[in-house]
Amino acid sequence: QVQLVESGGGLVQPGGSLRLSCTASRSTFSIYTMGWYRQAPGKQRELVATITSGGSTNYADSVKGRFTISRENAKNTVDLQMNNLKPEDTAVYYCNARRTIHFTANYWGQGTQVTVSS
């Protein structure tokens, strides 16, 4: 199994930036597709961005051009750089690891709060 720990959340003004980081516990990190999801109060969890082991990325339309996902396989980390933050970005952000080779598995971090408010 994979243990995921997020960090970097906080309070920021609209237009500001935050960088979220996620650290995984496993040395087999490179076989997982990593992602960031978010969940606002009263809403279901939604995809923000994903990145494969080879570096292929996918973004939700709402964050394209503002957020950048990256990974450092040697360090077992995945980051989310969030720029030009908007109030609607306010949510708990969760790190996700998904395994699809040999067997399927899905792991989640405990989440980090991001609040965008003036």
Side-chain angles (χ1 to χ4, degrees):
Q1 297 189 30
V2 177
Q3 295 285 93
L4 304 173
V5 180
E6 303 99 333
S7 64
L11 175 64
V12 65
Q13 295 183 359
S17 298
L18 284 174
R19 187 175 184 89
L20 306 183
S21 295
C22 174
T23 300
S25 63
R26 310 290 283 190
S27 61
T28 53
F29 177 79
S30 63
I31 70 174
Y32 294 88
T33 292
M34 303 299 298
W36 287 96
Y37 293 72
R38 66 188 182 187
Q39 187 168 23
K43 298 182 179 179
Q44 62 183 340
R45 190 173 299 184
E46 64 177 359
L47 180 146
V48 177
T50 61
I51 183 167
T52 68
S53 61
S56 179
T57 59
N58 181 52
Y59 296 92
D61 288 342
S62 60
V63 307
K64 286 181 179 177
R66 300 188 298 120
F67 291 10
T68 302
I69 189 171
S70 61
R71 67 190 294 162
E72 188 68 46
N73 289 339
K75 296 167 60 177
N76 293 355
T77 58
V78 59
D79 292 349
L80 184 69
Q81 178 65 47
M82 304 185 294
N83 298 326
N84 191 210
L85 283 160
K86 303 175 180 179
E88 52 262 43
D89 295 319
T90 296
V92 177
Y93 284 70
Y94 297 91
C95 182
N96 170 261
R98 185 173 70 255
R99 176 173 180 156
T100 57
I101 63 171
H102 302 123
F103 60 90
T104 60
N106 209 26
Y107 304 99
W108 296 93
Q110 294 184 352
T112 185
Q113 177 71 49
V114 172
T115 302
V116 184
S117 176
S118 59

